[in-house]
Amino acid sequence: MSASPTTHADSTAREIAYVAVFAALIVALTLFPAIEIGISPVPITLQTFAVTLTAMLLGPRRGALAVLAYLALIAIGLPVAAGYRGGLGVFAGATGGYLVSYLPAALLVGWLAGMALRRTRPTPWLILAGVAGMPVIYAIGTGWFMAVTGMELGPAVAAAITPFVVVDAIKVALAAIVTAGAVRALPTLRR
Amino acid sequence: MTIRFEDVHLEHAGRPVLRGISADLTEHRIGIIGENGSGKSSLARTINHLHAPSRGRVVVDGVVAAQDPKGVRRKVGFLFPDAAAQIVMPTVREDLDFSLRGLGLSRDERAARVEASMAEQGLSAHADHPCHLLSSGQQQQLALAAVLLREPDVVVADEPTTLLDLRNLRAARRRFAELRQQLVLVTHHLELLEDVDRVLLVADGRIAADGEPAEVVARYRRMMA
Amino acid sequence: MTIRFEDVHLEHAGRPVLRGISADLTEHRIGIIGENGSGKSSLARTINHLHAPSRGRVVVDGVVAAQDPKGVRRKVGFLFPDAAAQIVMPTVREDLDFSLRGLGLSRDERAARVEASMAEQGLSAHADHPCHLLSSGQQQQLALAAVLLREPDVVVADEPTTLLDLRNLRAARRRFAELRQQLVLVTHHLELLEDVDRVLLVADGRIAADGEPAEVVARYRRMMA
Amino acid sequence: MNLVGVYRAGSSWLHRTPAGVKVGALVLISIGALLVDSPWIAAGLLLASLAVLLSARVDLRLLRRPLVVLLLLGLSLALFMWWQQGAGAAVVAVSRLLTLALLAWTVSMTTRVSDMLSVLLRVLAPLRRVGVDPARVGMTIALAVRSVPLLLATVSTAQQARQARGQGRSLTALGVPVVVRSARIADELGDALVARGYDPDED
Ligand SMILES: Nc1ncnc2c1ncn2[C@@H]1O[C@H](COP(=O)(O)OP(=O)(O)OP(=O)(O)O)[C@@H](O)[C@H]1O
Ligand SMILES: Nc1ncnc2c1ncn2[C@@H]1O[C@H](COP(=O)(O)OP(=O)(O)OP(=O)(O)O)[C@@H](O)[C@H]1O
Ligand SMILES: O=C(O)CCCC[C@@H]1SC[C@@H]2NC(=O)N[C@@H]21
Ligand SMILES: [Mg+2]
Ligand SMILES: [Mg+2]
């Protein structure tokens, strides 16, 4: 039951609650199955799904704050990154760039999704909004990966992008479909 | 219809939760009671293999749950304590239609069955309403309608009447009493047990009493005194 | 302690939910009953200004809720239907300590009060346990302890006994009966009303009956027949 | 399985070590591990962190599933690095991965979240000047930690509900109820904060 916001302090408190709960949702979906694929040092996770979904549902501001809270949980040492890793060291590792990239990605996707949701048939537009976040994630993620592993661009792309493009596109599309469904199911969700 | 528990054991996070449950449920309506944390929900969830026993097995009408989870889930409809947890689609009509997926029905056939179900449950006026704006009583009704649409042989209901007012409680009770399916009802609403044929009392993962509703309920009251 | 509703109106999403509620609650224990969706929770939530009335006002012990929300929330402790939902900190000790924030107490003073509260409620052994590992009865206890730590003058409880077994229900009932604070209890568990001094029956956003518990409950039963 | 909020009271030297020291050491060691490129040193570091974990005398059963996931991750990393850069690089990369994980587990099993938060608040204090309110950050993180078990339960209930309805694979059937429940949990948590007198502008 969302209540009518009564004072400024109350709505700030409620915003904090939303940010915290969706940060926890990103954790829950990350820990859900961190699946291993073929031959890449980077795991497939539901993070991209969770981050895209959160940004679409909460908008750029609260969405990015939720991502930031998730990154803070990792930073203080809680084992909530893929593979149950945690601590600041995770950011210095090969996949740290992906984690950082979720922040600009959430801002972009959240902003685009806001426009998509004003359309009468938002789903295709939401999918586009989600897909727009992928290059952001790959650019920062792969750059970081190259810096940490010292790998050349070619093999780095083969390790850090190629295996994921299709699955990520599917995850992003699913996030869009879930968002469209959830917004219809609970019209009060995105104020 | 027989639900058979054969020495069912279950652990959650390494802690034993069910410690050897054996019983044959053949009656039309069976109640399950017991204290908080005794294992009632866990037991109910082994029936359609939402939990996998660590030892022993559950057999529903000859189908071993662990061997054919999809098969038992076709036979067993399940109602969760929080109806909102099992409503998956945005509107009432879509959610009911969702139940008919994968059964090989034609579009028209599905639409017809959904209409009939809404009419029967008095939900027609809400067909295109967002499910989560319905009242708790209506959500509960929708959850039951969605389960019945798949024509199960057994309905397992885990505390389906929390938060209902007197009228909705009575309506729910009537709906359960009229069910032609076999019913397994987990509940803290002891007055609902007046309608059942047999009651199991679960205590600390074991069956502590099993038999006539009035007797078992009296035993439970003494235990809780 | 007086809780005064002065012609309180409330809308949700443009739909009227409370349509002019006026009453002076001065008794020690007041029950609120009514059908699902009649407006009970909405009414209870105006007392500590979780909802802002669209017309009229609520005054608690001379403090106008809309003018001084923090002030009324110091006076009014609130229990939600789902105890787990009002536990905001990871462990028992931290959650209790959260209640003492912003009261200008020293660190040691806070720690001492938290210890005392845990001892009183028999929660000391769980001080550093994650709250989600507590049983439903213990979570309910923790929620009440957290409310009482702030030493409110009034406790408003919105269906605080759902999903409890017989023993926990009885324990909760005893805890409410022993409360020295004024109590406003919204409930569908009609037997809890045997302990109260006055009952309000809410119907469609208005007060449909108000008075002796036995009479009002009988009226409600007739209404729901 | 979830390793958030797994702290259990204990009396090992790690339990007694101040949170700041542990979190700081985690940072330093993990950065150190990244600078190491000798397989011997990397492997030694891994053995040392294993010894540290064991010396915490915590309930190791909690680690069974995380360990399986981590070892799978390590295996694919090993194969990849071996193929790309040879055995030495593989040992370094895998040791690094495992070291970071084992140490993080050790810290979170022996440190109260509230103690970790006070460390964070101290670190964030200078950011007050650029408009960051450390108390608010700490509150958000504490609430997130509190919410993790609620959300894991939400996901698993939704998964069960979708199975029970005979639709074990539909992602909408999982996603929509999870989102609706999450929004409800957030609303309830916000209500509770307000009702319990939380004021984000003070502290
Ligand atoms: N997913 C889980 N992980 C760990 N422990 C669990 C899980 N689910 C249940 N338990 C534990 O198993 C025990 C039995 O739980 P169950 O839900 O079956 O009890 P119940 O009889 O249905 O109780 P209630 O009356 O409160 O619904 C409890 O101690 C509970 O804490
Ligand atoms: N946040 C909200 N947005 C829109 N409508 C709401 C909201 N909260 C409550 N309502 C509606 O207001 C009406 C009164 O709701 P309220 O929760 O006060 O009823 P109640 O008497 O407590 O019912 P119950 O016995 O089911 O708890 C209902 O029709 C409900 O659907
Ligand atoms: O260490 C982490 O927690 C980060 C893992 C990053 C995984 C990346 S994100 C983009 C791509 N899609 C996936 O499913 N996995 C990789
Ligand atoms: Mg149960
Ligand atoms: Mg209510």
Side-chain angles (χ1 to χ4, degrees):
Chain A
M1 293 278 131
S2 70
S4 40
T6 44
T7 66
H8 176 70
D10 290 3
S11 31
T12 310
R14 295 204 152 92
E15 178 172 285
I16 290 175
Y18 260 87
V19 167
V21 166
F22 278 83
L25 177 63
I26 300 177
V27 170
L29 291 173
T30 304
L31 299 189
F32 191 48
I35 318 162
E36 265 327 285
I37 50 152
I39 192 137
S40 167
V42 181
I44 291 198
T45 75
L46 283 183
Q47 278 167 355
T48 32
F49 172 75
V51 167
T52 308
L53 181 67
T54 300
M56 287 179 175
L57 290 168
L58 299 190
R61 189 189 136 74
R62 290 184 299 166
L65 286 173
V67 169
L68 199 57
Y70 170 63
L71 300 185
L73 289 174
I74 299 176
I76 65 171
L78 295 173
V80 294
Y84 297 93
R85 290 166 309 134
L88 269 183
V90 175
F91 293 95
T95 59
Y98 289 109
L99 293 171
V100 173
S101 74
Y102 296 150
L103 208 53
L107 284 169
L108 178 66
V109 172
W111 177 62
L112 293 173
M115 295 194 282
L117 283 168
R118 283 193 286 275
R119 309 250 170 184
T120 32
R121 298 193 136 273
T123 312
W125 298 98
L126 283 171
I127 294 177
L128 286 180
V131 169
M134 288 170 50
V136 177
I137 293 173
Y138 292 143
I140 302 176
T142 311
W144 202 294
F145 184 80
M146 286 163 63
V148 172
T149 59
M151 231 178 256
E152 297 294 319
L153 183 62
V157 167
I161 300 185
T162 319
F164 302 109
V165 177
V166 174
V167 240
D168 280 341
I170 295 172
K171 283 186 279 184
V172 155
L174 287 171
I177 293 168
V178 170
T179 302
V183 168
R184 273 204 301 142
L186 203 61
T188 51
L189 191 62
R190 205 184 146 123
R191 280 153 295 174
Chain B
M1 202 57 43
T2 305
I3 301 168
R4 167 170 294 168
F5 298 105
E6 296 176 0
D7 190 34
V8 172
H9 288 250
L10 181 72
E11 298 184 356
H12 280 314
R15 228 167 44 76
V17 167
L18 300 179
R19 310 155 177 263
I21 300 257
S22 296
D24 266 24
L25 309 184
T26 51
E27 290 75 5
H28 187 173
R29 284 173 237 287
I30 295 112
I32 300 185
I33 60 176
E35 25 174 353
N36 289 136
S38 54
K40 304 180 295 298
S41 299
S42 304
L43 181 63
R45 282 166 200 221
T46 61
I47 300 178
N48 62 349
H49 204 63
L50 293 177
H51 288 323
S54 53
R55 216 167 89 200
R57 56 181 205 165
V58 180
V59 188
V60 180
D61 190 28
V63 177
V64 179
Q67 279 165 18
D68 183 5
K70 284 188 101 164
V72 290
R73 289 176 196 148
R74 280 286 293 116
K75 288 181 188 294
V76 179
F78 199 99
L79 287 171
F80 289 81
D82 177 9
Q86 74 191 102
I87 297 174
V88 299
M89 297 305 269
T91 66
V92 173
R93 192 197 302 275
E94 288 168 280
D95 192 68
L96 291 172
D97 184 63
F98 179 80
S99 283
L100 296 177
R101 286 196 194 172
L103 300 184
L105 299 171
S106 77
R107 239 187 143 72
D108 292 347
E109 173 76 27
R110 274 159 61 160
R113 290 212 199 171
V114 168
E115 288 308 324
S117 157
M118 290 192 295
E120 197 182 307
Q121 300 281 338
L123 289 170
S124 303
H126 303 286
D128 295 309
H129 283 183
C131 298
H132 297 280
L133 296 186
L134 298 179
S135 74
S136 31
Q138 288 167 334
Q139 290 189 8
Q140 214 254 321
Q141 234 170 316
L142 171 60
L144 179 62
V147 160
L148 294 183
L149 262 180
R150 288 177 70 85
E151 306 186 334
D153 300 316
V154 185
V155 173
V156 180
D158 189 0
E159 323 223 20
T161 53
T162 48
L163 294 177
L164 295 188
D165 67 19
L166 220 51
R167 184 185 290 144
N168 283 322
L169 178 63
R170 220 175 274 143
R173 185 171 169 177
R174 192 170 347 101
R175 254 176 268 130
F176 286 122
E178 284 167 1
L179 226 51
R180 47 174 192 75
Q181 278 87 351
Q182 187 179 22
L183 172 70
V184 177
L185 178 66
V186 179
T187 192
H188 290 297
H189 267 142
L190 301 179
E191 65 274 26
L192 295 184
L193 300 173
E194 289 162 19
D195 304 330
V196 308
D197 309 309
R198 171 179 173 189
V199 173
L200 305 185
L201 169 60
V202 179
D204 201 16
R206 294 202 180 81
I207 295 183
D210 178 356
E212 277 297 303
E215 273 169 41
V216 178
V217 169
R219 167 88 181 268
Y220 174 57
R221 287 189 189 278
R222 280 198 306 277
M223 201 172 105
M224 295 282 97
Chain C
M1 202 56 42
T2 305
I3 301 168
R4 167 170 292 166
F5 298 104
E6 296 176 0
D7 191 33
V8 171
H9 288 250
L10 180 73
E11 298 184 354
H12 280 314
R15 226 166 45 77
V17 168
L18 300 179
R19 310 154 178 263
I21 301 260
S22 296
D24 267 22
L25 309 184
T26 50
E27 291 75 6
H28 186 174
R29 287 173 233 286
I30 295 113
I32 300 186
I33 59 177
E35 37 175 341
N36 289 134
S38 55
K40 303 179 295 298
S41 299
S42 304
L43 181 63
R45 290 155 144 272
T46 62
I47 300 178
N48 64 348
H49 206 65
L50 284 177
H51 288 328
S54 52
R55 217 168 89 199
R57 57 181 202 164
V58 180
V59 188
V60 180
D61 189 28
V63 178
V64 179
Q67 278 164 19
D68 182 7
K70 283 186 87 172
V72 292
R73 289 175 196 148
R74 281 283 294 114
K75 288 180 187 294
V76 178
F78 202 101
L79 284 170
F80 293 87
D82 180 5
Q86 79 184 92
I87 299 173
V88 301
M89 287 288 159
T91 65
V92 172
R93 191 200 301 276
E94 290 164 295
D95 192 66
L96 291 172
D97 185 65
F98 175 81
S99 284
L100 296 177
R101 288 199 190 176
L103 300 185
L105 299 172
S106 77
R107 233 188 146 73
D108 291 346
E109 173 75 26
R110 274 160 63 159
R113 290 210 198 173
V114 167
E115 288 306 325
S117 158
M118 290 193 296
E120 196 183 308
Q121 301 281 338
L123 290 171
S124 302
H126 304 287
D128 289 313
H129 280 183
C131 297
H132 70 276
L133 296 184
L134 299 180
S135 71
S136 29
Q138 287 167 335
Q139 290 188 354
Q140 217 264 324
Q141 228 173 321
L142 172 60
L144 180 61
V147 160
L148 295 183
L149 260 180
R150 289 174 69 84
E151 306 186 336
D153 300 315
V154 185
V155 174
V156 180
D158 189 2
E159 323 222 20
T161 53
T162 47
L163 293 177
L164 294 187
D165 67 21
L166 218 51
R167 183 183 292 144
N168 285 321
L169 178 62
R170 221 175 274 143
R173 184 171 169 177
R174 195 172 341 105
R175 259 176 261 132
F176 287 121
E178 285 167 2
L179 227 51
R180 48 174 191 75
Q181 278 87 352
Q182 187 178 24
L183 173 70
V184 177
L185 179 66
V186 179
T187 191
H188 290 298
H189 268 142
L190 301 178
E191 65 273 26
L192 295 183
L193 300 173
E194 289 161 20
D195 305 328
V196 308
D197 308 309
R198 172 179 172 189
V199 173
L200 305 184
L201 169 60
V202 179
D204 201 15
R206 295 203 181 79
I207 295 183
D210 178 356
E212 279 294 305
E215 273 170 40
V216 178
V217 170
R219 168 86 181 270
Y220 174 58
R221 287 189 189 278
R222 281 198 306 278
M223 202 173 107
M224 293 283 96
Chain D
M1 191 62 239
N2 150 41
L3 286 177
V4 176
V6 284
Y7 170 81
R8 295 287 188 288
S11 56
S12 75
W13 67 279
L14 281 160
H15 284 86
R16 291 191 308 267
T17 307
V21 175
K22 282 182 280 190
V23 173
L26 181 61
V27 173
L28 291 180
I29 298 175
S30 52
I31 291 175
L34 290 167
L35 299 176
V36 167
D37 46 18
S38 142
W40 294 106
I41 303 184
L45 218 47
L46 172 59
L47 285 179
S49 26
L50 189 61
V52 168
L53 172 60
L54 294 177
S55 76
R57 280 179 285 142
V58 286
D59 185 358
L60 294 175
R61 279 175 308 178
L62 285 172
L63 298 178
R64 203 175 327 162
R65 211 183 102 88
L67 203 58
V68 171
V69 173
L70 183 70
L71 289 178
L72 281 172
L73 200 62
L75 188 65
S76 79
L77 179 62
L79 291 175
F80 182 85
M81 292 306 286
W82 200 349
W83 169 51
Q84 281 285 321
Q85 301 180 349
V91 171
V92 172
V94 172
S95 306
R96 227 181 240 170
L97 172 80
L98 299 184
T99 304
L100 292 196
L102 295 188
L103 290 178
W105 297 355
T106 311
V107 173
S108 82
M109 292 179 86
T110 60
T111 317
R112 283 197 189 100
V113 171
S114 53
D115 293 338
M116 288 195 207
L117 282 179
S118 357
V119 176
L120 180 72
L121 295 196
R122 262 180 278 147
V123 174
L124 290 182
L127 290 184
R128 208 188 284 276
R129 264 173 278 141
V130 295
V132 176
D133 178 353
R136 216 180 267 191
V137 175
M139 188 67 204
T140 311
I141 293 179
L143 287 173
V145 170
R146 156 68 187 136
S147 306
V148 167
L150 297 179
L151 277 122
L152 285 169
T154 297
V155 173
S156 97
T157 308
Q159 201 186 7
Q160 290 186 347
R162 137 183 114 152
Q163 281 175 354
R165 288 189 67 178
Q167 305 287 341
R169 302 171 68 93
S170 154
L171 209 103
T172 3
L174 183 69
V176 173
V178 164
V179 170
V180 168
R181 284 283 303 145
S182 305
R184 183 164 335 142
I185 290 172
D187 283 332
E188 289 175 345
L189 200 60
D191 281 340
L193 284 177
V194 171
R196 291 182 64 180
Y198 174 62
D199 183 348
D201 299 326
E202 67 184 27
D203 272 312

